[in-house]
Amino acid sequence: MESPTNHPESYESPKESEVLKNINIADTETHLRTLFEGVEGFIELRAFKDNKAVVKFFDSINPTLQWVKENTEKLRESDVYVGVNPRAVKPERGGGKEEHIRTCHFAVVDKDFKKEITVDNLSDEVKIALAEKGFWKSNKVTIVKQGKKVYEIRKPKFSDFILWLYDRIEPLGLKPSLIIDSGWGYHIYIKLNETTPEVWGEIQGYLADLLGGDRLIDPPRIIRLAGTLNNKFALKNTCRILYSSEEPPINADELLKKLKSIVEGIKEARELSHTDFGLNILDVLKKWGYDPEENLKPSGDELVGAHPVHGSTTGRNFWVDPDNNRWNCFRADCAVDGKPSGGGVLQLIAVLEGLIDCKDARKGTLRGELFKKVLRIAKEKYGARIELPKPVDDFNTLMNDDDPESGESDPFDHLVKLSEKLQESSTTADEAWEYEIPPIELNLPEDNFITKFMRMAERRTDAYKEYHFIGAISILSRIAGRRVYVDFLHERVYPNVWAMTLGDSTISRKSTAMKIAKTVVEFVGIRGFFLPHDFSPESLIQILSQKSTGAIWHPEGGKLLATLKKQYAIDLRDFLCILYDGENYYRTLRKEEFEITDPYVTIWLAMTPAVFKKHSTTLDFESGFLARFIYVNPQYEKEWRPFGLATKEDLEAFEEVCEFLKEIHMRVVDSKEDIRIDFDPEAFEFYQEWQRRWEEEVIRTKNQILATLLGRYYLYAVKLAMLFTLGDKEFEPIITLEYIQEACRVVDEYLLPYAVNLIKELEWDEERNLQEKILGTLKRHGGELTRRDLLRYLHKPLREVSEALEALVHSGEIELVKKDGKIVVKLKHKATKKQVNGNNGTNGNSGDYTTVVIRREPPVTELLGIDGKTYLLKANAMVTLPRVNAEPLIRAGIAEEFSGGGDSK
Ligand SMILES: [Zn+2]
């Protein structure tokens, strides 16, 4: 619409001396004719004086005007009102009531600028004026007294008000027919086609929400009549028409729909703004490079300007409400069903950083990985006070493509083939990854330290011998230190080994195995062999700055993994990787500088597979952290042996191993120079060939996880060969063909299959979770979504989603149908049931989860979920937990559901 221009530019509130003494009958006539010309029914007028009311009904405009003219003397001392809606019948007595109203023709907004205040804070000057005259007035503020109450009125100039109004009603295509100065505010009239009191009431409610002001929603409502005097206060004022224009009526039903959408969009944005993590919306804009002072103009309580990302043709589509940390975009292209986009600080960051389109800034968009990504940026770039739940996934596939047939082959294909080669008996490709890895058999000389150690340990316990293998190489690895190395053209390789021994509690006897290895080390008396296994990052840095070599052996290694998952430990994980790679490290802690030079740290962790899976994700392999470890997870049936008494032979074997270790230790310690180990030419040729084969696999695999793993594991073959060499009775610093062949075989036949099995299991769990996530998302969206929308909500690569969908189709939980050329994913009815049943806590994977923000820290911060997992409820933390557990927290005001409201209610 065009900005209304026929208002008197020069108009200002009348000065005290100019208060009109008489009714302005011309304004009264305009008001009545605008409201009732051509309208059937009775016009109701009410005049109040000294708490007495006169009620009058007229069947048309002229008699009404006639009555006002005849009674000007009385009426100018009164407050005169008119019923906005015509009365279909004349009440028998009293004023018009709801039952008398059948039709409505005008929407009205009463924008009042009057606010009650307390006298106490006012200056003496104002207090005296109030006592003497009943009012005090300056250019911007009027303070008036009515009875015992005092009001402050900050009515904007009409020229400012009209701009404010224009901004707000322009997106609705509205033009006012009439704007009246009511004395202390403005009344805006919008002409509607004839509508019902019900629709009228709803429109009135939404208009009040949009523009502020009183909620004039009851149909018999009366409003001040133009041209009459406002006698309520000591400072009298006139009710004058400032603007009138003949406008065609607006379709009430359409207006209601539009209003509803816009108001909902604003409300939603306000709700979303509740999660701001201490960020101020103006600071965020400024930090991003959009200076609010330069780009935004005040409009009422809000700031208005051109959208920072997509701009604006009007220069006024972007709205910021700094008090509520809320923004909205009123660009037509960004509206969905008329609902403007917008939100709080996080939605703004997502739009500014290009993570979502402006039109998608609304409730329910920031979820899953996308949400975590926004949080991370909010924290790192904008300084939000957030405790991040865990490191953020780097996903690069926000799917725009609606084509599922991308033709990617299973990245594990070649490993399935490898596993078939390894295990002739494996039946189908599907089961191949579950193949059992046979007991380890080593082809090392009888007098190699590793053979001796394993024999000795096997005599003492029925633990899986794989653990003893890890024990032997862990000891040698630590003893070698940085003093033993192989020089490749591009890098120097040290024999440091990080290992995990996995096994079910007790029967596997993984801690017994660790204990035996430890006893040997202690018996030999190698000083400074160990580093403490319970440490904070700070303490580890301090220790390593003094002594940069050591072994971390933890019989309950899950504790270390759990520590690494905590937010503060993200650093620790990176720090450990630096140690593994043997790089120098500098760090200032509590103003003290620490320097770790030439670090050499070996790790051996024992834990159950369940604990390992609980604290690990495929991402931890992909990021390289878990790929730095070798694993044994033996599950074959082994012979059980009762504890026996140590025989003379057992003791001799033990002593022999200890003597041997002493010898090897001396070998390293006594060497004047670091021990450079070379390859025998034949051995090197073999290794090159073997490595080439793996590098081809790395290139061939599209699976990043596998690529990272393979990249690390071909160096493990070198490390093992170095340790085999170091453990040789007749030590020569040469890797022989036999040793490198054996090392490569151990990697191929045991270590790589163990690691791949673990990754497969993690993937399987995660896939299962993805299936649950799909079911949950569908359920929250009324049981069906287009596949494109589903992908948007899931933020997972198309390939993974397609696989999960396929599995769900097969299990009969969902179906895919084509609708208007789009693929729609539909929940089948029984799936809903299953989902509900899954909530009884019997299945840890299933059930409905929700993400909440902890608003207030509860007295007990640890909550045991129905899924058996423990959840930490720290202030400001984001927690994803079972909905059943979340709901009481939300009701108690402890937690607030994050952006899930639109999906879940
Ligand atoms: Zn927009």
Side-chain angles (χ1 to χ4, degrees):
M1 82 178 222
E2 291 162 37
S3 179
T5 50
N6 77 342
H7 65 275
E9 285 288 350
S10 59
Y11 179 84
E12 290 296 325
S13 290
K15 293 190 177 66
E16 200 183 326
S17 56
E18 294 171 354
V19 169
L20 296 182
K21 296 282 189 302
N22 285 309
I23 303 280
N24 182 334
I25 198 74
D27 276 5
T28 306
E29 182 167 1
T30 306
H31 194 188
L32 292 173
R33 290 208 185 281
T34 307
L35 282 181
F36 301 111
E37 196 97 83
V39 167
E40 290 204 1
F42 293 90
I43 301 167
E44 178 181 345
L45 290 193
R46 268 187 248 180
F48 295 87
K49 196 186 176 218
D50 305 327
N51 293 323
K52 279 180 206 149
V54 177
V55 184
K56 282 284 180 184
F57 290 90
F58 304 95
D59 61 3
S60 60
I61 296 165
N62 286 339
T64 320
L65 274 173
Q66 193 61 37
W67 183 79
V68 174
K69 277 181 198 161
E70 282 166 8
N71 292 282
T72 43
E73 279 306 305
K74 272 185 228 160
L75 291 181
R76 78 172 187 209
E77 302 293 322
S78 309
D79 289 286
V80 187
Y81 295 82
V82 59
V84 178
N85 295 315
R87 278 61 175 146
V89 286
K90 193 170 153 183
E92 281 175 20
R93 56 193 179 88
K97 304 219 167 41
E98 198 147 352
E99 64 264 29
H100 305 124
I101 319 290
R102 310 269 161 82
T103 59
C104 304
H105 305 260
F106 268 92
V108 188
V109 177
D110 176 5
K111 185 72 182 166
D112 201 333
F113 299 94
K114 186 169 89 224
K115 202 174 87 189
E116 197 183 333
I117 57 165
T118 53
V119 197
D120 302 350
N121 300 327
L122 297 172
S123 71
D124 287 345
E125 186 202 333
V126 178
K127 280 181 189 163
I128 293 166
L130 285 179
E132 286 177 355
K133 299 189 287 181
F135 67 89
W136 179 88
K137 208 171 178 306
S138 77
N139 276 343
K140 284 183 178 165
V141 189
T142 306
I143 293 170
V144 289
K145 213 174 115 181
Q146 191 200 18
K148 287 194 169 161
K149 287 178 177 171
V150 175
Y151 298 94
E152 177 193 87
I153 295 137
R154 288 180 183 269
K155 192 166 78 168
K157 285 203 297 193
F158 185 64
S159 49
D160 291 337
F161 174 75
I162 205 87
L163 284 176
W164 174 91
L165 180 69
Y166 171 79
D167 282 335
R168 277 153 187 82
I169 63 177
E170 195 271 340
L172 290 157
L174 295 183
K175 298 178 187 188
S177 296
L178 209 56
I179 301 175
I180 293 175
D181 179 350
S182 68
W184 310 120
Y186 300 105
H187 294 168
I188 307 119
Y189 287 79
I190 291 151
K191 189 171 185 163
L192 308 174
N193 62 1
E194 188 180 296
T195 189
T196 63
E198 288 75 28
V199 171
W200 181 85
E202 278 198 77
I203 290 175
Q204 289 291 103
Y206 281 120
L207 275 177
D209 288 337
L210 181 67
L211 302 175
D214 288 348
R215 288 179 73 83
L216 313 182
I217 53 170
D218 51 324
R221 184 71 193 217
I222 54 171
I223 193 161
R224 210 171 266 281
L225 181 63
T228 61
L229 299 169
N230 186 335
N231 288 302
K232 246 186 183 168
F233 300 98
L235 176 65
K236 296 192 176 192
N237 228 330
T238 47
C239 181
R240 288 192 53 179
I241 290 176
L242 302 184
Y243 172 89
S244 80
S245 166
E246 262 188 48
E247 296 295 340
I250 301 280
N251 182 304
D253 296 326
E254 280 172 22
L255 173 61
L256 176 58
K257 224 179 106 190
K258 280 190 202 166
L259 267 172
K260 205 174 159 180
S261 297
I262 287 198
V263 169
E264 274 178 7
I266 294 171
K267 275 189 183 166
E268 211 176 276
R270 211 175 286 144
E271 275 174 42
L272 290 173
S273 74
H274 293 164
T275 311
D276 56 25
F277 298 106
L279 286 180
N280 176 290
I281 196 160
L282 299 180
D283 293 342
V284 167
L285 284 167
K286 197 164 183 177
K287 202 164 261 178
W288 183 76
Y290 180 94
D291 189 352
E293 285 197 27
E294 245 173 66
N295 295 291
L296 297 173
K297 276 184 244 133
S299 176
D301 291 337
E302 290 156 305
L303 299 167
V304 180
H307 193 283
V309 175
H310 60 58
S312 166
T313 48
T314 61
R316 306 180 73 80
N317 60 3
F318 183 63
W319 286 71
V320 175
D321 175 355
D323 293 340
N324 291 308
N325 251 0
R326 185 257 312 170
W327 65 278
N328 277 104
C329 169
F330 289 98
R331 186 171 80 150
D333 287 352
C334 290
V336 171
D337 296 330
K339 210 153 116 180
S341 62
V345 170
L346 295 181
Q347 285 71 23
L348 180 63
I349 290 173
V351 171
L352 293 176
E353 297 296 329
L355 299 174
I356 58 172
D357 265 358
C358 178
K359 72 171 188 318
D360 295 325
R362 48 192 78 243
K363 208 172 195 172
T365 308
L366 298 188
R367 290 181 167 275
E369 293 308 322
L370 174 66
F371 176 57
K372 288 187 213 160
K373 199 166 190 172
V374 174
L375 283 183
R376 167 146 294 210
I377 294 171
K379 184 186 167 82
E380 287 172 359
K381 179 164 175 188
Y382 297 95
R385 293 195 299 268
I386 305 172
E387 262 188 65
L388 291 177
K390 64 181 223 188
V392 174
D393 211 346
D394 234 9
F395 74 99
N396 43 16
T397 31
L398 233 177
M399 282 293 150
N400 296 318
D401 184 5
D402 211 16
D403 175 22
E405 276 73 51
S406 62
E408 267 188 62
S409 64
D410 181 0
F412 276 93
D413 265 349
H414 75 282
L415 274 161
V416 171
K417 270 178 222 137
L418 171 71
S419 72
E420 276 170 340
K421 234 186 288 164
L422 292 172
Q423 183 70 17
E424 245 50 282
S425 63
S426 74
T427 46
T428 69
D430 267 353
E431 291 163 13
W433 65 271
E434 278 184 344
Y435 61 79
E436 200 174 84
I437 298 159
I440 192 165
E441 293 298 341
L442 291 177
N443 307 316
L444 294 176
E446 284 296 313
D447 58 358
N448 189 293
F449 174 79
I450 295 165
T451 316
K452 292 267 183 204
F453 179 91
M454 288 176 72
R455 290 271 159 79
M456 176 276 295
E458 280 172 62
R459 291 177 78 105
R460 299 170 76 90
T461 171
D462 61 353
Y464 282 115
K465 55 183 172 180
E466 282 75 7
Y467 304 152
H468 302 317
F469 170 68
I470 295 296
I473 62 167
S474 292
I475 291 173
L476 289 180
S477 166
R478 164 63 186 88
I479 295 256
R482 276 177 85 107
R483 300 215 62 197
V484 179
Y485 65 91
V486 166
D487 259 343
F488 282 112
L489 208 56
H490 59 289
E491 67 179 323
R492 180 168 285 193
V493 179
Y494 296 105
N496 60 322
V497 169
W498 287 12
M500 287 201 209
T501 47
L502 306 182
D504 289 319
S505 36
T506 53
I507 57 150
S508 67
R509 306 215 195 283
K510 55 192 183 307
S511 28
T512 312
M514 192 181 279
K515 211 175 282 169
I516 292 171
K518 212 176 161 196
T519 312
V520 170
V521 170
E522 281 165 358
F523 193 85
V524 174
I526 303 166
R527 275 190 299 151
F529 186 99
F530 292 108
L531 291 168
H533 64 240
D534 281 314
F535 52 80
S536 66
E538 289 77 13
S539 64
L540 188 63
I541 290 169
Q542 284 184 5
I543 292 164
L544 288 170
S545 68
Q546 283 155 19
K547 179 177 87 82
S548 60
T549 302
I552 297 166
W553 288 11
H554 204 316
E556 289 169 75
K559 284 184 183 166
L560 180 60
L561 290 190
T563 309
L564 290 169
K565 273 206 326 190
K566 287 182 192 155
Q567 188 258 329
Y568 69 81
I570 292 173
D571 243 355
L572 177 57
R573 197 187 300 247
D574 295 342
F575 173 54
L576 287 177
C577 288
I578 287 169
L579 293 182
Y580 178 90
D581 300 339
E583 289 167 19
N584 294 347
Y585 186 80
Y586 305 89
R587 180 77 180 247
T588 310
L589 292 172
R590 293 182 291 270
K591 294 185 181 163
E592 215 182 316
E593 281 186 26
F594 292 94
E595 185 176 345
I596 301 173
T597 42
D598 297 339
Y600 183 92
V601 174
T602 64
I603 300 181
W604 179 9
L605 306 175
M607 71 194 81
T608 66
V611 166
F612 171 79
K613 280 196 267 177
K614 186 177 171 190
H615 297 302
S616 308
T617 64
T618 52
L619 181 67
D620 298 325
F621 274 99
E622 196 175 339
S623 70
F625 177 69
L626 289 182
R628 283 174 167 82
F629 284 84
I630 55 172
Y631 304 83
V632 294
N633 182 22
Q635 289 177 347
Y636 55 86
E637 265 181 59
K638 66 176 168 63
E639 200 186 324
W640 179 81
R641 265 198 344 244
F643 291 115
L645 291 171
T647 63
K648 190 166 156 268
E649 288 77 26
D650 293 337
L651 292 174
E652 277 171 10
F654 180 78
E655 277 168 24
E656 196 193 342
V657 165
C658 290
E659 280 307 309
F660 197 173
L661 185 59
K662 234 180 250 174
E663 203 184 307
I664 297 172
H665 186 220
M666 286 307 152
R667 216 177 259 173
V668 178
V669 174
D670 288 351
S671 169
K672 283 194 197 85
E673 284 166 17
D674 289 350
I675 303 167
R676 174 190 159 129
I677 297 187
D678 283 314
F679 274 88
D680 173 275
E682 244 186 314
F684 195 61
E685 209 176 296
F686 175 88
Y687 179 69
Q688 278 185 315
E689 178 57 26
W690 184 83
Q691 187 191 3
R692 196 185 51 76
R693 204 187 96 210
W694 280 121
E695 293 206 329
E696 278 171 11
E697 290 300 331
V698 172
I699 293 162
R700 201 176 334 174
T701 181
K702 283 182 190 138
N703 185 313
Q704 193 51 47
I705 305 168
L706 205 56
T708 312
L709 186 71
L710 295 174
R712 292 279 166 193
Y713 270 40
Y714 68 76
L715 274 183
Y716 260 116
V718 180
K719 289 174 192 261
L720 288 181
M722 290 163 85
L723 296 176
F724 294 168
T725 307
L726 188 65
D728 203 285
K729 189 75 188 161
E730 313 298 331
F731 173 70
E732 291 278 343
I734 302 272
I735 293 173
T736 60
L737 177 63
E738 287 72 27
Y739 279 160
I740 192 68
Q741 275 179 337
E742 183 60 2
C744 293
R745 188 188 67 84
V746 168
V747 170
D748 280 352
E749 296 190 10
Y750 307 106
L751 301 182
L752 194 62
Y754 276 126
V756 168
N757 270 3
L758 285 172
I759 293 171
K760 274 286 191 183
E761 282 178 51
L762 287 176
E763 283 202 327
W764 191 82
D765 283 355
E766 285 167 16
E767 266 166 35
R768 191 59 222 165
N769 283 337
L770 180 57
Q771 289 177 27
E772 296 296 342
K773 207 172 157 194
I774 289 171
L775 293 176
T777 307
L778 288 172
K779 208 177 125 196
R780 284 193 297 276
H781 289 86
E784 66 173 76
L785 276 172
T786 63
R787 202 190 39 188
R788 184 192 288 260
D789 284 341
L790 181 66
L791 282 167
R792 259 188 28 225
Y793 287 118
L794 294 170
H795 303 298
K796 282 279 185 187
L798 181 62
R799 181 183 55 80
E800 280 178 39
V801 175
S802 297
E803 281 171 11
L805 288 177
E806 200 182 324
L808 287 169
V809 169
H810 281 302
S811 64
E813 284 159 289
I814 60 162
E815 59 183 339
L816 300 185
V817 291
K818 264 211 155 161
K819 246 190 213 175
D820 309 327
K822 282 183 182 162
I823 297 172
V824 174
V825 183
K826 277 174 85 173
L827 208 53
K828 280 194 173 178
H829 205 63
K830 70 169 196 180
T832 318
K833 260 192 197 152
K834 192 186 164 204
Q835 196 55 8
V836 172
N837 291 342
N839 270 346
N840 62 14
T842 53
N843 181 347
N845 277 337
S846 90
D848 194 3
Y849 282 73
T850 187
T851 300
V852 297
V853 182
I854 304 303
R855 278 291 173 211
R856 180 160 62 77
E857 211 166 276
V860 178
T861 53
E862 274 191 4
L863 175 119
L864 182 66
I866 55 153
D867 53 1
K869 290 180 188 155
T870 307
Y871 295 94
L872 206 57
L873 311 176
K874 288 283 187 191
N876 280 340
M878 302 288 315
V879 188
T880 301
L881 74 175
R883 184 171 292 280
V884 179
N885 293 116
E887 269 160 2
L889 298 175
I890 293 165
R891 278 198 300 275
I894 287 170
E896 187 177 307
E897 189 158 15
F898 182 77
S899 80
D903 297 339
S904 58
K905 278 165 199 162

